[in-house]
Amino acid sequence: MSWMDQADTRSCVLLRLGERRFALAAEQVAELAAPSRVFRFAHRTPEIDGVILRRGRVVPVCDVAERLTGKRLTSRRFYLIAARRHGKRMDWVAIPVSGQCELIQADLTPAGSSDSPHVGGWLSYAGEVIEVLNLNALMPASHLTTPGEGNIVPEVHAQ
Amino acid sequence: MRSATEHKPPVRTEQIILFRASREIFAISSASVQEVRSVDSLAGAPVAVSEPTLKKIRHAIRRGDKNVYVVNTAIHFGLRPSPAALVFLLRKSRVALLVDSIEKMTTMTRLQALPGAFCNEEHAWYRGLTVIDQNVIPVVDPTGFLSGDELFLLDAATGSGKLTEAGGAAGAELAI
């Protein structure tokens, strides 16, 4: 049972992307981090901007603003570090946000059949109806099974 | 009586070569590189390959009765081609890599699998990511440059007369 299936009053984190606000379930949010150097290397996943180093972990940066609002962020004030479960593995992603985030309690309404896949539900807060994001639908995900399952491989092996 | 620290397992490490291709830095296990040669030293030896679907391969080197295919590393990774100066001949492989330069040799102690958000060819390109001097460096998979199907295609192409002896001919050098 996912967190949306048991939706009622939940803790959510509000995040700002340009002029709009979105929400994520608080249990999916690890931390809010100050912008840091983005490392870029050759790859073929256009949704990913690069990676940042956070607490010894390499975290991909996924800018979802353009997809959600139609505009790229002109400034990145923070990275919202979120976790999503993908099978047995836990994936971490850094979402650039353009303003402060806010932890709230709100009543959630499950998404309807006509909602976009990235909408996990809705909440009403301060007179605003806000999309609760479904990270699994919003972010690219590898369907490949690799040794290490996305976690840190603590050792390297001489060939 | 031994102290607790004596029971710590030794940290396993791996020697890697940091190299540049099109200005970007990559790492490769030094154990997978059999030989590093300058492009100039191969200028007279390679044979030209013309396989339209594999633009990253323009040359092969004859080794015994087999071709070793020279992969332009920059093109393989979708980067802008740059003048290559070195060739890595890979161990137990029929692949050689054209690279710009060697940055340095160093040791990595940890390899992190590519995050699951990366979902395309890069999973075949890289064994994972490592951090060297506070920089994130992709560690290339030496088996990811040419698939079995691509080798088959190249062998078939060269066997059908598309591979021509080009040693000594103008423009036959490995430089791009």
Side-chain angles (χ1 to χ4, degrees):
Chain A
M1 182 180 285
S2 74
W3 62 272
M4 273 311 301
D5 294 330
Q6 45 189 327
D8 39 50
T9 300
R10 309 282 302 192
S11 292
C12 288
V13 173
L14 296 184
L15 53 124
R16 181 168 288 282
L17 300 175
E19 294 172 1
R20 286 186 62 187
R21 289 202 294 185
F22 297 87
L24 267 180
E27 64 216 41
Q28 292 182 291
V29 176
E31 63 176 322
L32 193 63
S36 57
R37 180 178 168 191
V38 178
F39 298 93
R40 294 182 173 86
F41 53 86
H43 64 82
R44 290 276 169 82
T45 305
E47 296 91 341
I48 296 182
D49 193 22
V51 297
I52 58 170
L53 269 177
R54 191 70 192 160
R55 302 182 194 279
R57 187 189 300 271
V58 176
V59 181
V61 176
C62 194
D63 191 342
V64 296
E66 190 166 12
R67 183 166 167 192
L68 292 176
T69 69
K71 294 178 185 172
R72 290 187 69 85
L73 286 187
T74 50
S75 70
R76 295 177 172 184
R77 288 194 61 190
F78 300 101
Y79 288 120
L80 188 70
I81 312 287
R84 60 173 180 167
R85 186 163 289 285
H86 187 68
K88 288 183 177 176
R89 64 198 284 174
M90 188 67 88
D91 274 347
W92 299 80
V93 288
I95 302 170
V97 296
S98 55
Q100 290 281 1
C101 294
E102 191 178 346
L103 179 66
I104 62 162
Q105 293 276 332
D107 289 335
L108 301 194
T109 303
S113 56
S114 60
D115 288 325
S116 299
H118 72 263
V119 179
W122 300 88
L123 64 80
S124 178
Y125 182 74
E128 195 177 349
V129 177
I130 295 170
E131 288 179 8
V132 183
L133 299 176
N134 174 1
L135 278 186
N136 282 334
L138 192 59
M139 308 278 179
S142 168
H143 298 288
L144 302 173
T145 303
T146 54
E149 288 288 315
N151 296 322
I152 291 171
V153 183
E155 297 176 333
V156 291
H157 305 278
Q159 294 182 334
Chain B
M1 189 175 186
R2 291 185 191 179
S3 69
T5 55
E6 288 179 81
H7 295 288
K8 277 187 179 175
V11 176
R12 296 182 69 170
T13 61
E14 186 171 325
Q15 290 288 326
I16 52 174
I17 300 169
L18 301 189
F19 65 92
R20 283 190 186 272
S22 190
R23 296 185 183 175
E24 295 206 17
I25 297 183
F26 301 86
I28 188 169
S29 169
S30 56
S32 63
V33 178
Q34 182 176 345
E35 202 174 324
V36 178
R37 298 180 64 170
S38 84
V39 164
D40 295 340
S41 73
L42 295 174
V47 284
V49 178
S50 176
E51 175 50 54
T53 60
L54 285 171
K55 290 183 177 170
K56 62 185 178 183
I57 312 279
R58 287 177 57 195
H59 300 90
I61 301 166
R62 291 296 291 180
R63 285 264 160 145
D65 59 347
K66 288 183 177 171
N67 289 333
V68 173
Y69 296 103
V70 181
V71 175
N72 184 308
T73 308
I75 295 176
H76 172 76
F77 290 121
L79 304 171
R80 180 181 298 193
S82 53
L86 298 174
V87 178
F88 290 173
L89 292 155
L90 302 187
R91 192 180 302 279
K92 295 178 183 173
S93 169
R94 296 176 58 204
V95 172
L97 304 179
L98 269 180
V99 305
D100 296 0
S101 61
I102 289 177
E103 194 73 5
K104 66 176 178 179
M105 293 186 71
T106 186
T107 301
M108 68 173 176
T109 55
R110 200 165 70 156
L111 181 66
Q112 179 173 328
L114 203 62
F118 290 95
C119 56
N120 290 312
E121 290 164 78
E122 54 268 20
H123 275 277
W125 293 351
Y126 303 131
R127 290 170 55 202
L129 304 171
T130 193
V131 179
I132 304 288
D133 300 333
Q134 288 300 302
N135 288 300
V136 177
I137 310 285
V139 181
V140 303
D141 184 342
T143 66
F145 288 94
L146 278 180
S147 67
D149 286 347
E150 288 171 330
L151 274 173
F152 184 81
L153 180 68
L154 287 164
D155 283 344
T158 55
S160 62
K162 288 187 181 177
L163 181 149
T164 54
E165 292 291 338
E173 296 85 48
L174 284 168
I176 301 302

